[in-house]
Amino acid sequence: PQSWRPPNLVVSASGSVLLSEVVGTIKLKVFLSGMPELRLGLNDRVLFELTGRGKNKSVELEDVKFHQCVRLSRFDSDRTISFVPPDGDFELMSYRLGTRAKPLIWIESVIEKFSHSRVEIMVKAKAQFKKQSVANGVEIAVPVPSDADSPKFKTSVGSARYLPEKNLVVWSIKSFPGGKEHLMRAHFGLPSVEKEEDEGRPPIAVRFEIPYFTVSGIQVTTGAWGGGAMGLGWPQGGDPNGLGTGEWG
């Protein structure tokens, strides 16, 4: 099973955004004869300022890491990403942006306790992006008390499974279209409600992929190889998600 990365977007119980950043990659699939030098330009804020284009529609890249084929001296001098690529698939670069973003899948939860014998958890998930986009491979990890047992689940879509070794319920939704809303209910036997209260309630975690969707606004603005221009594909979002970027939140 995949491990859960540290979150890139953290929201408090009251709905306030406590942390918001984007971690992304640009991946290439290359099939070229010879060893041509390729060049890419991004809507990089430093580049836009160097070329007098201002800050409009530019992004401020942080923690940039390049594949070993990239000429770092060229990037340092004029922000051009110049490289002789290997064949096939590879990750050209990774980056981070401190972008203020709203949660694309909004989660609400209600926990009801009944005496000292059981607990019921209701989780509502709403896709807060446009209807033409679809989130794939959605997983919503809901913490449960460490002494919970006898799980029962009911979901409006997808399936739920209990991971007792991690004290989690994971609700999996294969396809989640924009604007839709779904519910999951979990019922557990609970010998000791007080123990759960002492432990506190860890946050609910969500991960997903949305193809052809980026929240950062990063764009590949120019591309060339040899003396000609390259055809540019639309950025492709995902985790890790042609020519395209993958971003996750």
Side-chain angles (χ1 to χ4, degrees):
Q2 287 184 302
S3 60
W4 287 73
R5 286 188 306 271
N8 303 114
L9 180 66
V10 178
V11 180
S12 70
S14 64
S16 301
V17 175
L18 304 178
L19 168 69
S20 176
E21 65 179 14
V22 171
V23 177
T25 63
I26 295 180
K27 296 186 176 184
L28 300 183
K29 179 178 288 187
V30 178
F31 299 100
L32 296 172
S33 59
M35 298 181 65
E37 181 178 343
L38 308 186
R39 297 183 300 279
L40 287 182
L42 305 176
N43 59 331
D44 173 13
R45 182 160 299 171
V46 175
L47 173 62
F48 274 35
E49 291 176 349
L50 285 173
T51 54
R53 284 181 278 182
K55 296 182 179 180
N56 289 341
K57 297 184 178 180
S58 65
V59 297
E60 188 171 355
L61 299 172
E62 302 175 36
D63 296 340
V64 178
K65 296 181 177 64
F66 289 109
H67 187 274
Q68 60 187 18
C69 69
V70 174
R71 293 172 55 192
L72 298 180
S73 58
R74 177 73 185 272
F75 182 78
D76 290 339
S77 65
D78 63 10
R79 306 294 282 191
T80 298
I81 303 171
S82 177
F83 58 102
V84 177
D87 287 335
D89 298 313
F90 73 101
E91 183 178 298
L92 178 68
M93 65 179 287
S94 62
Y95 57 87
R96 182 175 63 84
L97 300 100
T99 300
R100 199 72 176 173
K102 70 175 183 179
L104 295 177
I105 296 181
W106 181 260
I107 303 295
E108 296 179 9
S109 67
V110 176
I111 299 177
E112 292 185 89
K113 303 168 187 172
F114 298 90
S115 181
H116 290 195
S117 60
R118 71 185 195 278
V119 62
E120 292 186 0
I121 303 172
M122 187 277 289
V123 177
K124 179 170 70 174
K126 183 176 182 180
Q128 298 193 125
F129 47 87
K130 294 182 179 179
K131 294 180 180 179
Q132 57 264 40
S133 296
V134 177
N136 297 325
V138 179
E139 289 193 339
I140 301 168
V142 183
V144 299
S146 59
D147 53 354
D149 58 23
S150 307
K152 296 178 182 178
F153 306 113
K154 185 176 182 180
T155 62
S156 62
V157 69
S159 61
R161 66 187 188 278
Y162 177 41
L163 304 179
E165 71 281 4
K166 297 182 178 180
N167 301 321
L168 288 177
V169 170
V170 178
W171 179 17
S172 301
I173 304 171
K174 185 176 180 180
S175 179
F176 200 152
K180 294 291 186 180
E181 186 174 292
H182 297 300
L183 291 173
M184 186 272 291
R185 295 182 183 273
H187 176 285
F188 287 91
L190 193 61
S192 172
V193 173
E194 287 81 1
K195 183 175 182 181
E196 188 271 338
E197 291 175 341
D198 291 341
E199 291 174 348
R201 294 176 186 166
I204 294 173
V206 187
R207 65 180 178 189
F208 53 89
E209 301 178 2
I210 306 179
Y212 304 101
F213 187 99
T214 61
V215 296
S216 67
I218 192 170
Q219 297 175 0
V220 179
T221 56
T222 59
W225 65 300
M230 290 166 50
L232 300 182
W234 187 254
Q236 176 179 354
D239 174 20
N241 278 20
L243 179 66
T245 66
E247 298 183 341
W248 48 90

